[in-house]
């Protein structure tokens, strides 16, 4: 498991919005033994954090000390803390402090060499798929993303700056960012769905390079046309064309429709992240 989310890593590199705090735990020699990131936002929602403890510093009170500091900085607000990996020690720490499970994020994986991915399901009539064009397709994709993930607490709130940060990352590849348009995309066409894939380098998500179904979003008005499965298979074919043997994705455990879609496409549960919540 990766110790931090992509969002936390990006904020370490580039900073974040007002209200963010980075918290370090160190040993007597000054070596970092733990890290936590807290987002307070605008004060209208729960404070949200994630924390990680170096393997060699576990069972020494480091996680407890970091959590205590996060609670102090939250200043009486409800606090959610992500634990990457549903580990017994994290569960014991959280439940012992009065936290309960608020969200569960499944990581699912499937091999890429066990099925024919050369031809995906047929696209709906009048729909074509084309690669993302940096500098031209951002606004259309952000509108689609906001509609597709209107109920999602993080994904649906992406800004142009969030997209720009990722376009500047070394892994960004517009050829693997597939957009499904109805009509002419340059003459009033409508973006109905998108499948943005990602490739993790060796050592990031496993010993070998691993693909990812990074963002798969379908306009709510287009549900029921089979576009989600058609874009999923086309994205998987792209990743296999890159020479990859495995692909992963993240999905909310309670999103039964998405979990079922991915299950029918050969994905099985691999790991779990848990968001723990406490109301003081």
């Amino acid at each position: 498991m990766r110790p931090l989310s992509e969002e936390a890593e990006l904020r370490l590199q580039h900073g974040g919005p007002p209200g963010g705090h980075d918290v370090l735990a160190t040993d007597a020699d000054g070596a970092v033994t733990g890290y936590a990131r807290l987002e307070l936002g605008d004060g209208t929602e729960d404070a949200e954090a994630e924390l990680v403890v170096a393997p060699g510093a576990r069972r020494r009170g480091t996680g407890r000390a970091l959590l205590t500091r996060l609670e102090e900085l939250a200043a009486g607000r409800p606090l959610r803390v992500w634990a990457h990996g549903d580990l017994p020690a994290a569960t014991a720490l959280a439940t012992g402090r009065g936290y309960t499970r608020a969200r569960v994020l499944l990581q699912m994986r499937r091999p890429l060499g066990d099925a024919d991915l050369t031809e995906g399901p047929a696209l709906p009539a009048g729909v074509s798929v084309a690669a993302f064009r940096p500098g031209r397709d951002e606004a259309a994709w952000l509108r689609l993303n906001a509609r597709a993930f209107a109920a999602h607490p993080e994904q649906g709130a992406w800004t142009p700056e969030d997209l720009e940060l990722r376009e500047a990352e070394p892994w960004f590849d517009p050829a693997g960012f597939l957009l499904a348009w109805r009509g002419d995309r340059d003459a009033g066409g409508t973006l109905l769905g998108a499948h943005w894939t990602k490739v993790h380098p060796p050592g990031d998500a496993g010993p070998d390079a691993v693909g990812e179904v990074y963002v798969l979003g379908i306009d709510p008005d287009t549900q029921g046309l089979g576009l989600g499965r058609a874009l999923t298979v086309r994205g998987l074919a792209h990743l296999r064309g890159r020479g990859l043997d495995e692909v992963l994705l993240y999905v909310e455990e309670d999103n039964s429709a998405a979990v079922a879609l991915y299950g029918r496409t050969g994905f099985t549960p691999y790991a779990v992240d848990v968001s723990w919540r406490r109301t003081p």
Side-chain angles (χ1 to χ4, degrees), residues 6-280:
E6 178 190 67
E7 189 65 32
E9 291 178 356
L10 287 171
R11 291 181 177 182
L12 270 173
Q13 296 176 55
H14 306 288
H21 294 272
D22 295 300
V23 182
L24 291 178
T26 59
D27 63 17
D29 297 322
V32 175
T33 57
Y35 167 78
R37 172 77 188 184
L38 175 69
E39 303 293 344
L40 293 174
D42 61 7
T44 62
E45 299 179 344
D46 295 356
E48 188 153 4
E50 53 188 289
L51 67 85
V52 60
V53 177
R58 292 171 183 167
R59 300 186 182 277
R60 300 179 186 176
T62 305
R64 186 174 295 105
L66 285 170
L67 187 56
T68 297
R69 182 57 179 153
L70 291 173
E71 292 168 351
E72 292 171 351
L73 291 169
R77 287 174 53 187
L79 176 64
R80 295 175 183 251
V81 183
W82 279 102
H84 297 290
D86 194 10
L87 303 176
T91 299
L93 174 61
T95 55
R97 297 286 281 264
Y99 288 77
T100 57
R101 287 179 178 236
R103 291 172 61 193
V104 177
L105 191 65
L106 294 180
Q107 184 189 140
M108 304 178 75
R109 295 196 180 199
R110 62 153 287 171
L112 286 172
D114 64 347
D116 181 9
L117 298 173
T118 56
E119 293 187 12
L123 293 167
V127 175
S128 59
V129 173
F132 180 87
R133 299 169 298 177
R136 300 180 66 180
D137 292 332
E138 282 83 356
W141 182 83
L142 285 167
R143 284 195 298 271
L144 169 72
N145 185 66
R147 285 179 55 78
F149 296 98
H152 194 284
E154 295 101 15
Q155 184 67 40
W158 272 30
T159 65
E161 291 73 24
D162 292 321
L163 180 53
E164 181 181 348
L165 278 178
R166 287 158 177 82
E167 287 186 70
E169 286 292 289
W171 58 263
F172 179 73
D173 176 15
F177 194 163
L178 307 179
L179 307 183
W181 297 88
R182 171 171 285 154
D184 188 336
R185 58 179 174 171
D186 292 319
T190 303
L191 184 60
L192 303 182
H195 183 182
W196 186 354
T197 67
K198 176 179 180 178
V199 177
H200 295 267
D204 189 32
D208 301 316
V210 177
E212 180 178 350
V213 176
Y214 185 57
V215 185
L216 177 65
I218 306 299
D219 189 288
D221 292 341
T222 313
Q223 299 290 344
L225 297 182
L227 189 55
R229 178 168 172 77
L231 281 171
T232 298
V233 173
R234 282 163 172 79
L236 297 182
H238 168 80
L239 291 171
R240 193 167 75 171
R242 293 283 305 271
L244 302 174
D245 295 323
E246 189 176 33
V247 61
L248 64 85
L249 59 82
Y250 293 92
V251 62
E252 299 282 346
E253 185 182 53
D254 62 0
N255 188 345
S256 56
V259 172
L261 167 66
Y262 295 132
R264 291 193 298 271
T265 317
F267 286 88
T268 57
Y270 180 85
V272 174
D273 291 342
V274 179
S275 176
W276 295 92
R277 184 180 190 270
R278 190 183 78 163
T279 301

